[in-house]
Amino acid sequence: MATIYEVSKLAGVSLATVSRVINNNTPVREATRIKVLEAMDKLGYHPNSVAQSLASSRSNSIGIVVSELNGPFFGTLLSDIETAFRKAGKHVIIAAGHSDEKLEKESISFLQSRNCDALILHVEAVSDDYLTELADKDVPFVLLNRFVPSLYQRCITLNNQHGGYLATQHLLQLGHTNIGYISGPMWKHDAEQRYNGHLRALAEFAINSSQSVFYEGDYHEKGGADGMTQLLNTDPQITAVVCANDEMAAGAMTAARELGRSLPEQLSVVGFDNVNFSHYMCPKLTTVDYPIGGMGQMASRWVLKNVYQQKLGDIQNVFEPRLIQRDSAAAAK
Amino acid sequence: MATIYEVSKLAGVSLATVSRVINNNTPVREATRIKVLEAMDKLGYHPNSVAQSLASSRSNSIGIVVSELNGPFFGTLLSDIETAFRKAGKHVIIAAGHSDEKLEKESISFLQSRNCDALILHVEAVSDDYLTELADKDVPFVLLNRFVPSLYQRCITLNNQHGGYLATQHLLQLGHTNIGYISGPMWKHDAEQRYNGHLRALAEFAINSSQSVFYEGDYHEKGGADGMTQLLNTDPQITAVVCANDEMAAGAMTAARELGRSLPEQLSVVGFDNVNFSHYMCPKLTTVDYPIGGMGQMASRWVLKNVYQQKLGDIQNVFEPRLIQRDSAAAAK
DNA sequence: CTGTTAGCGCATTCAT
DNA sequence: ATGAATGCGCTAACAG
């Protein structure tokens, strides 16, 4: 691999000048710039990004921690983040936190030791205190889907409460009054908030929430299936169920069908997230859209703006969910 | 951030000794090792990986090029690759090639400029010649789902031909004789091979392949839907359709239903890939399993073994697909 | 087993 | 506008 030194020799200029045309940050006479560019070209020169990093104390890399790499959700997120940074010549290093406190911390320190210029964190298990302390260290970071009061400027969140509200409101408007709820693990903030939204909708329609059956699931297919089974056993009169995410909705729908319910005639189901396979399900899932891609782009913008000083538009900290009506929720009889 | 120099001062040893206990590659007296470790601890020292890379000309990073970051397929792949390397203290840099020659080349050179120690490539658009030339350069790489004769030791492939065979054989054994085929873009090797397997099965059962209707799709849902529509128009007698991937199967099934066919009673469908949502579909999709996770692990092993000299088991270059029987394929009347 | 020394490839003052 | 000099933090001979 050719070095900047060889380029400078071939171009007959100093090493510093070559650096200048590379970084394009100091005036260089057009004639010499061309000489340098030609030399670089002739040698097939590519700057060594590692050396650049060491000299500039900038790695041009952004670390991302997500819960899981597989799953429909993070694919969309990563895709949009990668596109945004790639355009800016930065690269993305990924690590999985698996919703586990120890693994999340390990991921973060792993990324720190990699000298990332910034971190984008979708973490669930570490505490607010831990994050607040982390903010005092030197690595800048943004939080995705997590609200920490003291760090509010760097939180990009979804209005989960309103999402939960929308799902239940939709069923209520369809005339359902006996609505079950399958939540995510309640220690997760989003699960709690989505459920709160559900309760608010119920209250607004003057439905006594104790009438409503609740099951705490795991955000996975199995939890949805178990939840539906239990809900239907507890109260066979249920005509609709809200699931706190699409995966559970998938499991719930399968279970309901196995228990002899026809969908959506006898039982309506609403999901949450609008993952890419939600319209493959049948009936096609009515769900609440989680604009994860847009949120990833916003997180990227935060980094580009605050860490790399690019002049970009304002940061939108909270995103609004939106109901996607498909075929799994029908009017109550 | 503390440096190795500060550690050496605090521990009262030389800078080289500190480096030795970090890298743990040269004998160091236990007593001094402890002194050093304590000093590192007291200073909260973490080696600067950028400086390590520059000095050792090793970045401990592996570049990955996949077609898309979203989609069910690559999530599984990336997840397994990340896990494997993370365990080894390496990190993964990802880039999307979007099945486009220009973008794939850009991704590769981007990763090269990042001084990756090795590349794992799932590329479709670049030519064999390009890859052969790349092999003469200094970056080692493995190829996923791509066979280049001159590079056979570094190709991790699926026996796509056999997969196509399995899908069609299954339908044939169920008594179907009028089988349509919706392929992927035929310029992609896997699409071509899967189709060849289909033809082989047909031949084996003495079915004249001209009887069989063919549609060239795009590996996406839309292509599947269009394909099914056209197939059913061309030959309404078709009782079964093989789709070259699950996404197209999803589109095809929707289209078939819209055309009034009941599944699987009037029409059987078999997919390919066994992506994570294939069992959410209804009827649950009968498909051919593509062990992408295992192949990713194998690619990781190749890198760990050939680039980082870890002693590991043998490399398995070709993986076998396997039929997953679910509910979308039924016996012919 | 440990210390000394010399770069790795580049960005960045400070001069000119 | 350009060149010379210095150092980023660490690894890797080479001595001892």
Side-chain angles (χ1 to χ4, degrees):
Chain A
M1 207 58 181
T3 74
I4 200 175
Y5 177 69
E6 305 174 41
V7 175
S8 75
K9 252 190 351 197
L10 204 161
V13 299
S14 87
L15 187 153
T17 301
V18 178
S19 175
R20 284 176 187 120
V21 352
I22 292 173
N23 293 293
N24 189 31
N25 50 7
T26 310
V28 174
R29 200 196 310 158
E30 196 52 26
T32 66
R33 150 178 275 104
I34 292 176
K35 270 197 307 190
V36 172
L37 288 174
E38 282 173 352
M40 295 191 346
D41 203 89
K42 197 170 304 178
L43 292 168
Y45 170 81
H46 276 288
N48 178 323
S49 68
V50 173
Q52 286 181 316
S53 296
L54 185 61
S56 64
S57 62
R58 273 263 173 100
S59 65
N60 287 314
S61 67
I62 293 92
I64 317 283
V65 178
V66 295
S67 301
E68 312 290 343
L69 258 18
N70 45 18
F73 195 77
F74 295 109
T76 313
L77 176 63
L78 289 175
S79 182
D80 282 14
I81 291 181
E82 194 260 352
T83 304
F85 286 125
R86 179 71 170 284
K87 227 175 286 175
K90 319 292 179 196
H91 73 256
V92 163
I93 300 180
I94 54 173
H98 299 287
S99 302
D100 175 273
E101 183 173 6
K102 183 154 167 291
L103 292 176
E104 285 182 354
K105 287 185 179 175
E106 275 180 22
S107 292
I108 291 172
S109 81
F110 176 77
L111 257 17
Q112 275 188 280
S113 78
R114 246 59 198 175
N115 295 81
C116 291
D117 294 336
L119 263 31
I120 294 179
L121 305 178
H122 184 291
V123 289
E124 308 181 296
V126 295
S127 68
D128 281 13
D129 286 349
Y130 171 82
L131 291 169
T132 308
E133 275 179 43
L134 186 63
D136 291 335
K137 307 245 171 79
D138 31 25
V139 227
F141 63 88
V142 216
L143 255 21
L144 229 31
N145 193 34
R146 170 93 181 234
F147 183 72
V148 178
S150 60
L151 267 32
Y152 69 94
Q153 323 93 321
R154 31 171 120 184
C155 296
I156 312 283
T157 58
L158 179 73
N159 189 340
N160 278 296
Q161 225 251 25
H162 190 232
Y165 173 84
L166 286 176
T168 301
Q169 182 200 36
H170 180 58
L171 292 170
L172 256 9
Q173 287 174 342
L174 286 171
H176 296 277
T177 53
N178 207 333
I179 303 173
Y181 192 90
I182 301 179
S183 85
M186 290 297 274
W187 64 266
K188 295 195 182 185
H189 299 107
D190 53 4
E192 188 193 349
Q193 286 167 22
R194 289 173 189 189
Y195 183 58
N196 287 342
H198 166 70
L199 293 181
R200 205 183 88 217
L202 250 30
E204 204 167 90
F205 279 71
I207 305 274
N208 185 339
S209 63
S210 74
Q211 265 179 255
S212 145
V213 199
F214 172 87
Y215 179 88
E216 180 170 345
D218 57 1
Y219 273 153
H220 294 302
E221 194 181 4
K222 178 84 164 53
D226 293 349
M228 182 59 90
T229 306
Q230 173 149 339
L231 254 39
L232 253 22
N233 279 338
T234 312
D235 182 354
Q237 309 302 326
I238 287 176
T239 62
V241 171
V242 175
C243 297
N245 79 348
D246 291 350
E247 260 182 86
M248 292 199 300
M253 280 168 48
T254 305
R257 212 175 273 116
E258 278 166 10
L259 290 170
R261 301 298 197 283
S262 72
L263 307 176
E265 294 77 15
Q266 296 177 21
L267 189 69
S268 288
V269 173
V270 177
F272 201 119
D273 280 353
N274 191 27
V275 298
N276 55 15
F277 64 74
S278 58
H279 74 283
Y280 290 148
M281 293 161 53
C282 52
K284 294 185 179 186
L285 190 66
T286 290
T287 189
V288 175
D289 183 55
Y290 189 144
I292 185 62
M295 290 170 63
Q297 288 173 28
M298 193 53 68
S300 308
R301 176 188 291 186
W302 189 97
V303 172
L304 256 13
K305 203 177 163 169
N306 293 292
V307 179
Y308 297 112
Q309 277 75 44
Q310 290 193 197
K311 295 180 249 322
L312 294 167
D314 287 342
I315 298 300
Q316 176 184 350
N317 285 289
V318 12
F319 281 67
E320 291 299 329
R322 182 166 68 86
L323 185 76
I324 306 287
Q325 293 189 39
R326 285 197 278 250
D327 310 326
S328 67
K333 304 274 160 62
Chain B
M1 208 56 178
T3 74
I4 201 175
Y5 176 70
E6 304 174 39
V7 175
S8 74
K9 250 190 353 194
L10 204 162
V13 299
S14 86
L15 190 153
T17 302
V18 178
S19 173
R20 284 175 187 121
V21 353
I22 292 173
N23 292 293
N24 189 29
N25 50 7
T26 311
V28 174
R29 200 197 308 159
E30 196 54 24
T32 65
R33 151 178 271 104
I34 291 176
K35 272 196 305 189
V36 172
L37 288 174
E38 282 173 352
M40 293 190 351
D41 203 87
K42 197 170 303 176
L43 293 169
Y45 170 80
H46 276 288
N48 179 322
S49 66
V50 174
Q52 286 180 316
S53 297
L54 185 59
S56 64
S57 61
R58 272 256 175 107
S59 64
N60 286 315
S61 67
I62 294 90
I64 317 282
V65 178
V66 294
S67 302
E68 310 291 342
L69 258 17
N70 45 18
F73 194 78
F74 294 108
T76 313
L77 175 64
L78 289 176
S79 182
D80 281 17
I81 291 181
E82 194 260 351
T83 304
F85 285 124
R86 179 71 171 284
K87 227 176 287 178
K90 318 292 179 197
H91 73 258
V92 162
I93 300 179
I94 53 174
H98 298 286
S99 303
D100 175 273
E101 182 172 7
K102 182 154 168 289
L103 292 177
E104 285 182 354
K105 287 184 179 176
E106 273 180 22
S107 291
I108 291 173
S109 80
F110 177 75
L111 258 17
Q112 275 187 282
S113 79
R114 246 60 200 175
N115 295 82
C116 292
D117 294 335
L119 264 31
I120 295 180
L121 305 178
H122 184 291
V123 289
E124 308 181 296
V126 295
S127 68
D128 281 13
D129 286 348
Y130 171 81
L131 292 169
T132 308
E133 274 179 43
L134 187 63
D136 291 334
K137 307 247 169 81
D138 32 24
V139 226
F141 64 88
V142 216
L143 256 19
L144 230 32
N145 193 33
R146 170 90 182 236
F147 183 73
V148 178
S150 59
L151 268 30
Y152 70 95
Q153 324 93 321
R154 33 171 118 183
C155 296
I156 312 284
T157 58
L158 178 73
N159 188 340
N160 278 296
Q161 225 251 23
H162 190 231
Y165 173 83
L166 285 176
T168 301
Q169 181 200 37
H170 179 59
L171 291 170
L172 257 7
Q173 286 173 343
L174 285 171
H176 295 277
T177 51
N178 208 331
I179 304 174
Y181 191 91
I182 302 179
S183 85
M186 290 298 274
W187 63 268
K188 295 194 182 187
H189 298 108
D190 52 5
E192 187 192 350
Q193 286 166 22
R194 289 174 189 188
Y195 183 59
N196 286 341
H198 166 71
L199 293 182
R200 205 183 87 216
L202 250 29
E204 203 168 90
F205 280 69
I207 306 273
N208 185 340
S209 62
S210 74
Q211 265 181 255
S212 144
V213 198
F214 171 88
Y215 179 88
E216 179 170 345
D218 57 1
Y219 272 152
H220 295 302
E221 194 181 3
K222 178 80 164 54
D226 292 348
M228 182 60 91
T229 307
Q230 173 149 343
L231 254 39
L232 253 23
N233 279 338
T234 312
D235 182 355
Q237 309 302 327
I238 286 177
T239 63
V241 171
V242 175
C243 297
N245 79 348
D246 291 350
E247 258 181 88
M248 290 199 300
M253 278 166 51
T254 304
R257 212 176 272 116
E258 278 167 8
L259 291 171
R261 301 300 197 280
S262 72
L263 308 175
E265 295 77 16
Q266 296 176 21
L267 189 68
S268 289
V269 173
V270 177
F272 201 118
D273 281 351
N274 190 27
V275 299
N276 56 15
F277 64 75
S278 59
H279 73 284
Y280 291 148
M281 293 160 55
C282 54
K284 295 186 178 187
L285 189 66
T286 289
T287 189
V288 175
D289 184 56
Y290 187 143
I292 184 65
M295 289 170 63
Q297 289 174 31
M298 193 53 68
S300 308
R301 176 187 291 185
W302 189 95
V303 172
L304 257 14
K305 203 175 162 169
N306 293 293
V307 179
Y308 296 113
Q309 276 75 45
Q310 289 193 197
K311 294 179 251 321
L312 293 167
D314 287 342
I315 299 301
Q316 177 184 347
N317 285 290
V318 12
F319 281 67
E320 290 300 327
R322 183 168 67 84
L323 185 76
I324 306 287
Q325 293 190 36
R326 286 196 279 250
D327 311 325
S328 66
K333 304 276 160 62

